[in-house]
Amino acid sequence: MRRKYLFYTLAFLSGAFTSLMVAMDIWISAKLIPDIWIFGISILWAGVYIHAFLLPILSLKIYENRPIGHFIDPLFKGVFVPSGKVLHYLIIASLGNAIASLTYFFLIDIMPDPSAVLPFSSVVIIYLIIGDMIIEKESPSIAEIEGLFMILIGVILVSFSRGRIDPISLLLVLGPMNFGSFLYNYGQRKAKIFGRKIGQCDSINFRFWSLLFTTLIFSLLLLIFYISPQIVLLGIYYSVVYFLPLAIDMVITFFAAVFYIRALGMGKMSIVNALSSTSVVIGLPLTLVLSFYFPEVYKIPEMTGLFLYLRSIGVILVFLGIIGISLSEVTAYILIRSRPGYSSKLLEEIIRIRGVESVAAIVGRYDFIVRVRTRAYSKAYDTVLRKIIQLEGIEDVHWVSVLKEWERI
Amino acid sequence: MSKITAYIMINVEVGKTAHVFNMLQKLDFAELVSVTAGEFDIIVRVTVDSLEELFYKTEEIHGIDGVSRTLTLIVEKEAKRED
């Protein structure tokens, strides 16, 4: 399968499962557990039980000595206890997740129609692009700026409804909720990078451990801010009583997270989020279908007259923005001939250049083959090629652009 | 025994790139197949157990209809960036 397609499919599926999860959350909180805080605690604890139950099953070796989990994520080899920097970054990710979840439940609690503000959570992509830029010390390309504005305007249009947009709720989404999501993404990605070196990087283990830490931090934060141990205890009690519906909800969440983490390991954080922000787009038709079957739980989204036009334009803009950002990435090979005696020094110097994915010392007509990935063609010269030709010992370089690619995964 | 990785740079007859690209994906030793613009038309990354095996696998690539010339570059040492 072509790597690009798998990457897009994973990120898109993650968005689709997120929409399903939100729909299921609304159903449970409307039908079974009306108190939002008790619901929040119970669903997280039920998630921990179901994951603790799933993990040993996924570790069972069935075919060619491979565990069942291998078929969900090929990196899964069995359960591990995170350690060192992986543990450190997983806790940071979980803190972010707990902050985002706390804000999410608070919003559902105070707002009669949270759908008017929740789409703004996709604005987290702007934080992510800025995060990527700070890490890579480079400015965004024109295509990225265009894409970002399209997504931003699209999201604003999709969220249009007759209901007033409450400025406090909007601030909560743009502030703590998006900051929490940013922290979650950042922690997961860093944990994945460090985990790769020590064989602790599969999305299944990551999901379990970050859920366990999130649940603990979430319960602790509620105890601190809500000052009511009963809420926490009731939540744990309901997590057993309503285990089945909560478990279904958490299995959906599990897949959303696993697809998301796998996609994250394959591409840039900002692009994964751009793609999974399609949950905003999928959310609309899904709510329409659900409001037809369960009118008492789901409100029919406003899709008449002007709202239909505005929301449809919003959907198209989000899609175009996502495509624009995704397609601007460039992959290339640089073939290098070097002067004798510089090989090992050059290998170390080239790999340090930002944008270089891998470098191999080779025998044959050339001395090095360098694989490069940059955000746009305009950046390829300044960020990579210029730096390589300035290195001492380089004799000749050949740039070979990749037009199409397939990778065995 | 450690595996041998190599890049095989392929030049293709005009109009046969898509065919060669599809055929290369079917070879179990091909890890990464890139259609490129520049000196070569296709670059394949392969991993094999020995140099002898590399010889036979290269022969296999020569057998694909449309392949006009190949250049094999064997990897001695490789560094990957992790962020």
Side-chain angles (χ1 to χ4, degrees), chain A residues 74 82 256 259 301 316 350 362 389 403:
Chain A
F259 291 141
I316 294 166
I350 294 170
I362 46 181
I389 50 182
L403 306 173

Side-chain angles (χ1 to χ4, degrees), chain A residues 104-310:
Chain A
Y104 170 71
F105 289 121
F106 185 69
L107 273 174
I108 296 184
D109 195 31
I110 60 164
M111 283 221 42
D113 180 16
S115 74
V117 285
L118 282 178
F120 284 92
S121 61
S122 351
V123 176
V124 74
I125 186 180
I126 291 174
Y127 295 65
L128 293 168
I129 291 263
I130 295 169
D132 272 359
M133 270 163 43
I134 293 169
I135 295 166
E136 292 176 15
K137 295 194 183 86
E138 60 177 77
S139 52
S141 63
I142 297 292
E144 281 171 329
I145 295 172
E146 268 176 21
L148 284 181
F149 271 101
M150 278 187 176
I151 293 172
L152 187 64
I153 294 167
V155 163
I156 293 171
L157 292 179
V158 172
S159 68
F160 266 148
S161 71
R162 272 189 201 92
R164 206 163 47 87
I165 292 181
D166 179 17
I168 296 169
S169 314
L170 190 59
L171 275 180
L172 280 171
V173 174
L174 292 177
M177 193 161 168
N178 281 355
F179 174 71
S181 307
F182 169 71
L183 218 55
Y184 175 70
N185 291 314
Y186 170 77
Q188 290 270 3
R189 183 146 177 87
K190 279 279 184 187
K192 187 125 194 161
I193 289 166
F194 286 107
R196 223 180 277 163
K197 291 175 189 158
I198 50 171
Q200 296 187 346
C201 63
D202 68 272
S203 47
I204 297 171
N205 271 296
F206 269 32
R207 173 66 193 152
F208 172 70
W209 292 106
S210 50
L211 181 68
L212 180 67
F213 297 145
T214 302
T215 309
L216 292 173
I217 298 170
F218 185 89
S219 305
L220 200 71
L221 286 176
L222 264 195
L223 274 179
I224 296 168
F225 292 116
Y226 224 80
I227 326 164
S228 166
Q230 285 119 304
I231 298 269
V232 177
L233 289 175
L234 255 170
I236 297 174
Y237 170 71
Y238 276 128
S239 69
V240 180
V241 176
Y242 293 119
F243 179 71
L244 195 66
L246 291 170
I248 295 171
D249 194 352
M250 278 323 262
V251 168
I252 297 171
T253 320
F254 170 80
F255 280 105
V258 165
F259 291 141
Y260 176 76
I261 299 170
R262 268 201 73 186
L264 211 54
M266 292 176 72
K268 279 203 179 1
M269 199 152 75
S270 47
I271 297 178
V272 178
N273 277 275
L275 289 165
S276 57
S277 75
T278 42
S279 58
V280 176
V281 177
I282 302 161
L284 216 55
L286 184 74
T287 318
L288 264 177
V289 174
L290 288 172
S291 61
F292 180 75
Y293 287 105
F294 306 101
E296 73 283 8
V297 179
Y298 302 96
K299 274 188 224 151
I300 299 172
E302 281 170 286
M303 292 295 283
T304 49
L306 188 62
F307 290 105
L308 175 70
Y309 282 116
L310 289 178

Side-chain angles (χ1 to χ4, degrees), chain A residues 351 361 366 403 405 408, chain B residues 27 34-35 39 76-77 81:
Chain A
I351 195 67
Y366 299 95
L403 306 173
E405 201 159 51
R408 188 175 304 282
Chain B
L27 304 177
S34 318
V35 176
E39 208 178 332
E76 294 177 317
K77 193 179 175 189
R81 211 186 159 91

